Amino acid sequence: MEKVVDITEAAALHIKEMMKQNEEEDAFLRVAVKGGGCSGLSYGMGFAHEVEEGDIQSEHYGIQVLVSKEDAPILNGTKIDYKQSMMGGGFTIDNPNAIANCGCGSSFRTATNTGTPEEC
């Protein structure tokens, strides 16, 4: 089973808590890329209930993670963490394939995929 993304223990604990709050304990976590954002591409994370054809599945601290075969090259090596600060907490995404990020941190582009930039 290949791992496209790496989820830290801190992120996994927070995702498990979100799953519990939303009664989604049996769900998969889908990590995806979509067009948009001010740099052209943006990240998506959400709960899924079935594995689709072509999905790459991996497990991280008890969470089953799905990435589509189309998104895998863009997300390969991406690290998802959860950081807590005085301003609250949030997920951080470190994608080694991103060559440009916008200030909000959720939009990016790669050398081979510029996406569809929009206003922030």
Side-chain angles (χ1 to χ4, degrees), residues 60-82:
H60 308 261
Y61 300 100
I63 295 172
Q64 295 297 320
V65 178
L66 302 176
V67 176
S68 76
K69 202 176 280 186
E70 293 79 29
D71 292 345
I74 298 170
L75 292 171
N76 193 34
T78 296
K79 181 179 176 182
I80 300 173
D81 197 3
Y82 187 84

Side-chain angles (χ1 to χ4, degrees), residues 25 63 83:
E25 285 102 333
I63 295 172
K83 305 259 190 228

Side-chain angles (χ1 to χ4, degrees), residues 4-5 31-33 43 67 71-78 95-97 108:
V4 176
V5 298
V31 181
V33 173
Y43 300 105
V67 176
D71 292 345
I74 298 170
L75 292 171
N76 193 34
T78 296
N95 184 342
N97 306 302
F108 68 103

Side-chain angles (χ1 to χ4, degrees), residues 75-119:
L75 292 171
N76 193 34
T78 296
K79 181 179 176 182
I80 300 173
D81 197 3
Y82 187 84
K83 305 259 190 228
Q84 193 71 41
S85 71
M86 290 175 59
M87 299 294 287
F91 290 101
T92 61
I93 300 175
D94 181 19
N95 184 342
N97 306 302
I99 61 167
N101 293 292
C102 76
C104 59
S106 63
S107 182
F108 68 103
R109 71 173 180 257
T110 67
T112 57
N113 195 328
T114 57
T116 313
E118 300 170 348
E119 292 293 317

